[in-house]
Amino acid sequence: MKIIHCVESYSPAVGGMQEVVKQLSERLVRMGHEVEVFTRAHEDRNFTQLNGVQIRSFAIDGNPRVAVTEEEKRYVYTLLTVQADVITFFAAQQWATDLALPILHQLKAKKVSVPTGYSGLYKEEFKTYFEDMRTYIHGYDMNVYLSNDYRDINFARENKVKHITLIPNGAAADEFLPDATLDVRKELGIPKEDFLILHVGSYTGDKGHREAVDMFFRSNIKKGTLLMIGNKYGYFKRQYIKHPFLGFRYVYHRLFTRKRIVFGFYSRPFTVAAYKQADLFLFPSNIECSPIVLFECAAAGLPFLSSDAGNSEEISRWTGGGKIMPCSKNESGYTYVNIKKGTILLNELYANAAERKKMSDTAFENWKQKFSWEVIAKEYESLYQQLVSGT
């Protein structure tokens, strides 16, 4: 098959959606299919092919819904003229999906939507967008959802969409099964006796970094390190300016206790090693769809403590590898952890190594059977083949 994957950004850009499309695209190539990714141009992308996946770049940003610029018109024209069996649009509310909405009925290939959550569904500025989506959503040959009970799939059900299927996210066996060759503690100077807590997420302000720091400082952990791995942006510097008390606590604990925070941007092999060598994953995120990091915890055998953002609670049940903290939500659908109650759960898991081990073993076995990218890529292949053959 000739498959087109349309996504807002792609490697070398990093992030959850980029990782999903990269994992699926490269595995479908290994299965013998031709895959091309349509995505935004990137200043560090000096290649048009990566691991067998063709990449076509467009100088487009934001979420325009009507093609105005020459690049936007080129993208629309390319969609209309490209020879493909399947075109899949990953994530709504961004240009790679939105520019295609008015022309869905003109595309000759089978059309698949993977909306990944509809993060703006409850926001006033997206009211018209989702009123229009009630019609557009029927133009796809299949709508793939990552959860069986989240705002995007419930929106589809409310609008009587017929073509719905569930395919979860996952983590890669070829990354997580081999033994780690890096010693994260040695590399970062973290004492062996420290309780190592990991957080992985872009420094956007919505991934619960501030909450994680607050809970870590409040906890009963006497000797510990909170390792935060994100992208290259200076999130923490901005947070210390906005929340001076956070900076004061950071300095205080650095000087007078055995609690320390390490944050930065690290390589993918380093990040995978961190998953495998940490004691607990702490993820009080504010907004998610289906967080890949929790599947990566399962693949690494790392127990997690998470907010209920996205379908985190569902992933906790699927894998058996984590606990969900009490949370509240605002009118825009953002999640906020109850810091006090979340810290109590953190203290309990810190004190109970046997429970952490049980969660670790259970999650790893469930991941191997159901949630590796190897398994999930085959589900996408089967879906695409069914659509193309009409079965």
Side-chain angles (χ1 to χ4, degrees):
M1 290 182 291
K2 172 63 184 289
I3 301 163
I4 305 293
H5 285 163
C6 301
V7 64
E8 189 270 338
S9 57
Y10 193 71
S11 184
V14 295
M17 198 69 262
Q18 296 92 321
E19 182 67 14
V20 169
V21 179
K22 184 173 184 291
Q23 293 286 350
L24 292 176
S25 300
E26 292 182 4
R27 280 169 171 74
L28 286 165
V29 166
R30 293 176 205 169
M31 294 174 186
H33 305 289
E34 183 182 351
V35 181
E36 186 171 10
V37 171
F38 290 0
T39 190
R40 185 178 68 191
H42 191 285
E43 60 182 4
D44 295 329
R45 186 187 300 124
N46 56 3
F47 48 85
T48 58
Q49 184 186 93
L50 180 64
N51 297 327
V53 178
Q54 301 294 324
I55 302 172
R56 197 177 307 202
S57 300
F58 299 85
I60 308 174
D61 203 354
N63 60 337
R65 295 182 59 191
V66 178
V68 176
T69 70
E70 290 304 312
E71 279 293 271
E72 291 164 2
K73 292 177 181 178
R74 182 170 75 90
Y75 176 66
V76 170
Y77 178 78
T78 304
L79 288 174
L80 289 169
T81 57
V82 69
Q83 298 297 312
D85 296 298
V86 177
I87 302 177
T88 300
F89 299 91
F90 291 88
Q93 301 167 238
Q94 51 80 27
W95 66 268
T97 292
D98 294 352
L99 286 174
L101 292 174
I103 62 165
L104 284 177
H105 63 289
Q106 300 178 55
L107 302 183
K108 298 176 182 179
K110 295 298 181 181
K111 302 169 288 291
V112 178
S113 167
V114 188
T116 70
Y118 289 159
S119 62
L121 182 59
Y122 306 129
K123 295 182 178 181
E124 184 63 28
E125 60 264 37
F126 284 100
K127 182 177 180 180
T128 301
Y129 178 91
F130 284 105
E131 286 176 353
D132 294 341
M133 186 61 76
R134 295 178 187 277
T135 299
Y136 287 136
I137 196 173
H138 295 278
Y140 295 106
D141 297 287
M142 185 57 67
N143 295 271
V144 178
Y145 297 96
L146 311 176
S147 167
N148 195 41
D149 184 18
Y150 194 54
R151 63 181 74 172
D152 52 359
I153 194 170
N154 292 335
F155 177 89
R157 287 167 175 157
E158 290 165 7
N159 288 281
K160 297 179 172 54
V161 175
K162 297 179 180 178
H163 305 299
I164 292 175
T165 191
L166 171 64
I167 304 179
N169 277 333
D174 53 7
E175 278 193 309
F176 284 90
L177 286 182
D179 293 333
T181 57
L182 290 166
D183 187 333
V184 169
R185 291 174 184 263
K186 183 178 180 180
E187 292 281 336
L188 298 179
I190 299 172
K192 292 183 179 180
E193 64 272 18
D194 269 21
F195 188 80
L196 178 56
I197 299 176
L198 178 65
H199 180 293
V200 177
S202 297
Y203 300 139
T204 62
D206 295 329
K207 295 297 182 180
H209 291 89
R210 183 177 60 81
E211 293 91 332
V213 170
D214 196 359
M215 291 171 60
F216 177 61
F217 285 152
R218 288 172 181 250
S219 72
N220 295 336
I221 298 169
K222 302 301 181 184
K223 299 177 181 179
T225 297
L226 173 58
L227 170 60
M228 293 184 154
I229 299 178
N231 47 20
K232 298 179 180 179
Y233 304 117
Y235 168 77
F236 280 96
K237 293 179 182 178
R238 297 196 301 272
Q239 290 304 302
Y240 291 147
I241 295 172
K242 290 168 59 178
H243 306 282
F245 187 59
L246 189 68
F248 169 78
R249 292 168 74 185
Y250 173 83
V251 174
Y252 173 83
H253 284 281
R254 185 82 176 184
L255 292 175
F256 300 109
T257 76
R258 278 292 307 277
K259 292 184 178 182
R260 63 184 296 223
I261 299 174
V262 178
F263 53 85
F265 175 77
Y266 302 99
S267 69
R268 182 61 182 172
F270 188 97
T271 302
V272 172
Y275 274 108
K276 292 187 172 188
Q277 294 165 22
D279 297 297
L280 183 69
F281 191 84
L282 182 59
F283 195 61
S285 182
N286 306 129
I287 185 71
E288 298 290 331
C289 175
S290 185
I292 292 176
V293 291
L294 301 187
F295 290 104
E296 293 181 335
C297 285
L302 176 63
F304 65 80
L305 182 59
S306 175
S307 70
D308 66 358
N311 75 325
S312 297
E313 191 276 333
E314 199 170 32
I315 297 171
S316 175
R317 286 189 283 107
W318 286 346
T319 65
K323 288 191 173 184
I324 303 299
M325 295 177 279
C327 301
S328 61
K329 295 186 187 297
N330 68 13
E331 59 184 12
S332 296
Y334 279 70
T335 297
Y336 297 94
V337 164
N338 183 308
I339 297 295
K340 183 177 180 180
K341 293 180 179 179
T343 304
I344 291 172
L345 286 176
L346 174 58
N347 289 334
E348 290 174 353
L349 284 175
Y350 165 63
N352 196 335
E355 183 175 13
R356 296 199 311 271
K357 180 66 165 59
K358 181 179 179 181
M359 294 164 66
S360 169
D361 293 343
T362 300
F364 181 71
E365 289 303 319
N366 284 327
W367 164 75
K368 281 199 302 183
Q369 295 178 28
K370 305 172 186 176
F371 303 112
S372 72
W373 281 120
E374 289 75 9
V375 171
I376 293 165
K378 291 177 182 177
E379 293 188 42
Y380 272 89
E381 179 189 44
S382 177
L383 169 62
Y384 290 169
Q385 289 173 334
Q386 290 173 24
L387 290 173
V388 171
S389 65
T391 58

